[in-house]
Amino acid sequence: MTPEQYMKINGFPNTYWGWGGEDDDIAYRVRYAGLKMVRVPLHIGRYKMVVHQQDKGNAENKKRFDMLVKSPKQWTEDGMNSLEYNLISRRLLHLYTNVTVDIGMGPSTSPEGNGTAS
């Protein structure tokens, strides 16, 4: 994805906290923005997901499906254009730039698995 395409989909949503839903939301944003995902033939490139366990301390977002239903109406308002952060550091290295930011505290962890930012 080019930087221009990333901005066209309004980046990642800011309202997902916890595990689940944000990857589906990005796929929807690609379609909503009139773009399409293309998977290259196997003789050109391959992708294999690394098998992993859910991260400790990253509780399941139990409201992710309810949030995905709202995505068509919210994707233009929730993303790069509404991101709030404080820049901590920016280090230009040979192959990449390391940017560290503070995005604040997520929602409190509750037994209900809130998973949404307020």
Side-chain angles (χ1 to χ4, degrees):
M1 179 176 286
T2 67
E4 293 78 19
Q5 290 168 328
Y6 186 78
M7 295 305 289
K8 187 171 183 175
I9 69 167
N10 197 18
F12 279 92
N14 301 312
T15 51
Y16 288 84
W17 291 82
W19 180 86
E22 72 288 344
D23 50 351
D24 295 312
D25 196 295
I26 285 292
Y28 291 153
R29 287 169 182 248
V30 168
R31 281 187 244 142
Y32 301 151
L35 303 172
K36 59 182 169 179
M37 286 185 260
V38 178
R39 300 199 190 275
V40 297
L42 289 177
H43 70 278
I44 294 174
R46 297 172 195 228
Y47 169 80
K48 182 171 179 162
M49 184 180 82
V50 175
V51 178
H52 63 285
Q53 298 295 319
Q54 184 174 330
D55 299 332
K56 290 181 179 145
N58 192 21
E60 177 183 352
N61 179 349
K62 295 183 178 176
K63 295 189 176 184
R64 67 188 182 275
F65 298 112
D66 295 331
M67 295 171 70
L68 284 168
V69 170
K70 298 175 186 173
S71 181
K73 293 180 182 177
Q74 294 182 343
W75 76 277
T76 58
E77 299 168 7
D78 173 30
M80 287 298 291
N81 62 358
S82 63
L83 179 61
E84 295 181 12
Y85 64 93
N86 291 313
L87 179 65
I88 304 298
S89 67
R90 181 178 10 217
R91 292 183 18 220
L92 180 62
L93 302 169
H94 183 66
L95 297 175
Y96 65 95
T97 301
N98 183 307
V99 179
T100 304
V101 298
D102 178 357
I103 59 171
M105 298 293 292
S108 61
T109 304
S110 66
E112 299 85 39
N114 184 344
T116 61
S118 53

